[in-house]
């Protein structure tokens, strides 16, 4: 038997992700100040902060309603490009969880893939364009490969976490095609993309939470 995440587990993850995002405020703000308009941390922090405040009511929802509620909240609270992108991502992920009471490993991969697809189509962006997609795309590719190759869940967690961290790091060398960094003369080359870094925090914490269930 592999891991299974309940709504309560996912809400625990949201709380831990908020802590990680919250404590990295100065760092993320400095990244977005270098390539964007400096508000990415404030945006994403307010979204996760709001979800944190709603934790007690959220954990009573089934997975479908939970993900829908997260999407709606992110869409309305986060603002900026990330609000719309995360909102669409969670609404798309909700659809993969209809009738499900828990999220097992293939379902978690499906959630991440639905998020990726929604972000790419909503943001009209592709991998390699220096955005949060450059974290999520390699994460999903890695997860799918682990499942296809029959890699153990313990090893999958480590590989997926590393893929996310490497993905975020890879944005440093990229030229921005979408997002505010694309308006800069250097296209943000030499700077990490803030959205890619906050996405890697989320995958990192999610994998930590999965690890506790193994
Ligand atoms: P805004 O760019 O509107 O100020 P944020 O500062 O909250 O919004 O988020 C910026 C992040 O959003 C970027 O670092 C990048 O990762 C991501 N991003 C921006 N535009 C797009 C897009 N079209 N597709 C995917 N990701 C994007
Ligand atoms: Mg911004």
């Amino acid at each position: 038997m592999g891991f299974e995440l309940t709504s309560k587990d996912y809400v625990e993850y949201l709380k831990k992700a908020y802590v990680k995002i919250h404590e990295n405020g100065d760092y993320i703000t400095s990244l977005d100040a270098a390539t964007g308009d400096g508000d990415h941390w404030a945006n994403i922090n307010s979204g996760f902060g709001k979800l944190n405040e709603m934790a007690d009511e959220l954990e009573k929802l089934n997975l479908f309603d939970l993900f829908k509620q997260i999407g709606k909240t992110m869409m309305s609270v986060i603002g900026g490009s990330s609000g719309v992108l995360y909102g669409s991502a969670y609404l798309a992920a909700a659809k993969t969880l209809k009738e499900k009471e828990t999220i097992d490993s293939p379902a978690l991969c499906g959630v991440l893939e639905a998020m990726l697809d929604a972000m790419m189509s909503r943001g009209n962006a592709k991998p390699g364009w220096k955005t949060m997609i450059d974290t999520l795309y390699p994460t999903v590719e890695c997860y799918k490969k682990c499942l296809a190759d029959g890699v153990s869940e313990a090893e999958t967690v480590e590989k997926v976490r590393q893929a996310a961290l490497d993905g975020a790091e890879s944005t440093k060398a990229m030229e921005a095609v979408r997002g505010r960094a694309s308006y800069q003369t250097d296209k943000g080359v030499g700077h990490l993309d803030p959205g890619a870094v906050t996405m890697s925090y989320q995958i990192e914490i999610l994998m930590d939470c999965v690890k506790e269930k193994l």
Side-chain angles (χ1 to χ4, degrees):
M1 271 293 284
F3 74 82
E4 295 195 33
L5 303 176
T6 60
S7 287
K8 198 168 185 319
D9 295 328
Y10 202 82
V11 173
E12 281 307 307
Y13 149 69
L14 292 173
K15 290 185 194 167
K16 288 180 181 160
Y18 174 57
V19 172
K20 174 86 185 186
I21 289 166
H22 193 73
E23 47 187 40
N24 283 281
D26 290 346
Y27 175 56
I28 299 300
T29 299
S30 74
L31 293 180
D32 197 33
T35 59
D37 56 356
D39 64 352
H40 178 65
W41 177 79
N43 289 343
I44 203 104
N45 186 64
S46 58
F48 275 86
K50 178 72 185 170
L51 293 170
N52 215 56
E53 284 168 22
M54 294 164 69
D56 289 348
E57 57 178 284
L58 289 177
E59 65 180 39
K60 293 185 195 121
L61 300 175
N62 63 40
L63 287 168
F64 176 66
D65 290 335
L66 170 65
F67 274 64
K68 253 191 351 196
Q69 190 55 55
I70 296 172
K72 283 187 202 162
T73 305
M74 285 183 156
M75 191 97 65
S76 66
V77 177
I78 296 186
S81 315
S82 7
V84 181
L85 294 168
Y86 274 99
S88 314
Y90 268 95
L91 295 178
K95 291 188 192 144
T96 71
L97 295 171
K98 267 187 196 154
E99 322 279 315
K100 283 203 164 69
E101 279 171 28
T102 59
I103 307 174
D104 62 6
S105 194
L108 187 57
C109 184
V111 159
L112 295 173
E113 187 170 23
M115 288 182 165
L116 171 66
D117 290 345
M119 283 184 162
M120 290 204 291
S121 77
R122 195 74 181 82
N124 195 18
K126 291 199 165 65
W129 289 8
K130 201 180 183 82
T131 70
M132 50 180 87
I133 287 163
D134 293 304
T135 298
L136 194 50
Y137 180 81
T139 298
V140 170
E141 287 302 295
C142 175
Y143 208 147
K144 288 202 300 196
K145 188 168 186 325
C146 286
L147 287 175
D149 293 350
V151 173
S152 73
E153 290 188 356
E155 206 182 321
T156 299
V157 165
E158 303 304 332
K159 282 181 184 287
V160 168
R161 176 209 311 270
Q162 196 56 48
L165 295 176
D166 293 347
E169 195 58 37
S170 76
T171 62
K172 196 168 197 168
M174 289 175 186
E175 283 190 7
V177 180
R178 281 281 184 278
R180 294 184 197 275
S182 64
Y183 307 140
Q184 305 220 337
T185 44
D186 64 359
K187 307 277 183 205
V189 172
H191 300 283
L192 290 169
D193 175 65
V197 175
T198 55
M199 176 68 83
S200 74
Y201 289 169
Q202 291 165 68
I203 304 294
E204 217 186 327
I205 301 297
L206 183 59
M207 291 303 117
D208 284 349
C209 291
V210 167
K211 204 170 169 178
E212 282 175 19
K213 294 270 153 190
L214 294 176

